[in-house]
Amino acid sequence: MDTIATDTGPTNTGLRLLDLDRLRAAPLSRDPFDFVVAENFVRPQYLSAAVADFPPLGKHGSFPLDGQRYGAVFARLAAELESDDLRRAIEDKFALDLSGRPTMITLRGYSDGKDGSIHTDSATKLITLLLYMNPVWEEAAGRLRLLRRADDLEDFVAEIAPIAGTMVAFRRSTNSFHGHHAHIGERRSIQLNWVTDPRVVRRELARHRWSARLKCLNPFG
């Protein structure tokens, strides 16, 4: 049995939340950049508990996993996301060596209507993996679109509803354009990145922590 640390103390669990076979079986799309989508990436029998354990972020913006309060199932989910097993599955899918590359997990809980503008992610990120944690999603807005170009949100190759358990991963490149129509309200996601070196993790986490502190000071932010 593995031991994991949570806000309520050590917990013993034998859970295997992530269904890596879903990732292995999902086709890698290469147009217009390398990406893969896997539904039910979190095993259904554990999904409700993982969603219930999602940290209560309370504000829009991106928050580091470190320092958040969450339950034992979410802790296990985070540990599996940063595991060697997932890294190897991603390496095989993208034909990319990630050994020795640091990882970084950040969380989002809410959209403020300003999120979702078209971008590619920073060049220091090698692979971006998004795992959504919303029990239902009926809105047209807030659905991630993988795009052919930088100036047209309607010219997309894939649209992914941010439903709990759905995972999308892509190789960052100069044309890995993605975004979504403006959405206001709860929109939970976990972002895992493999990055170029540890300095990136330190810099990015410091930036996110500073941003989070500013949001706490500004109730209208």
Side-chain angles (χ1 to χ4, degrees):
M1 304 286 273
D2 298 320
T3 300
I4 54 179
T6 72
D7 57 334
T8 57
T11 301
N12 291 322
T13 177
L15 298 179
R16 172 66 68 178
L17 277 73
L18 297 181
D19 189 345
L20 297 184
D21 287 338
R22 291 272 181 177
L23 170 59
R24 296 183 183 107
L28 178 69
S29 299
R30 296 187 178 278
D31 178 27
F33 53 88
D34 292 355
F35 70 90
V36 62
V37 179
E39 297 178 348
N40 299 316
F41 189 55
V42 179
R43 297 182 190 277
Q45 63 266 42
Y46 305 129
L47 186 58
S48 294
V51 169
D53 276 355
F54 191 89
L57 301 176
K59 298 283 287 184
H60 72 271
S62 185
F63 296 83
L65 176 67
D66 184 36
Q68 304 302 323
R69 292 182 64 83
Y70 44 83
V73 177
F74 191 88
R76 181 60 196 178
L77 177 62
E80 289 191 18
L81 284 170
E82 294 192 295
S83 69
D84 288 339
D85 287 344
L86 176 58
R87 174 183 56 80
R88 285 190 287 266
I90 289 290
E91 287 178 328
D92 290 344
K93 181 61 64 175
F94 288 92
L96 177 67
D97 182 7
L98 295 172
S99 57
R101 299 294 191 177
T103 56
M104 177 175 64
I105 291 181
T106 51
L107 309 171
R108 284 184 176 270
Y110 292 88
S111 305
D112 67 348
K114 300 175 184 177
D115 301 323
S117 59
I118 298 174
H119 62 290
T120 62
D121 283 0
S122 65
T124 56
K125 296 176 180 177
L126 303 171
I127 295 286
T128 293
L129 184 152
L130 296 166
L131 178 59
Y132 292 109
M133 301 295 286
N134 307 286
V136 295
W137 198 270
E138 297 178 350
E139 299 179 64
R143 296 169 184 254
L144 181 69
R145 291 182 173 182
L146 306 182
L147 306 167
R148 293 188 178 90
R149 44 196 289 189
D151 60 352
D152 189 353
L153 197 56
E154 301 307 314
D155 190 6
F156 59 92
V157 295
E159 182 181 69
I160 300 102
I163 295 173
T166 297
M167 182 276 290
V168 55
F170 61 88
R171 186 197 303 261
R172 190 273 168 193
S173 69
T174 56
N175 69 322
S176 56
F177 300 113
H178 57 285
H180 61 76
H181 281 295
H183 170 266
I184 298 176
E186 190 171 75
R187 186 178 184 274
R188 295 177 168 187
S189 64
I190 304 169
Q191 179 168 315
L192 167 66
N193 288 104
W194 283 267
V195 299
T196 52
D197 64 73
R199 292 172 297 178
V200 176
V201 177
R202 292 192 293 270
R203 183 177 68 245
E204 288 297 306
L205 293 184
R207 180 175 65 85
H208 287 307
R209 290 190 185 100
W210 176 247
S211 177
R213 284 195 292 269
L214 289 178
K215 289 180 176 66
C216 290
L217 293 173
N218 178 13
F220 305 105

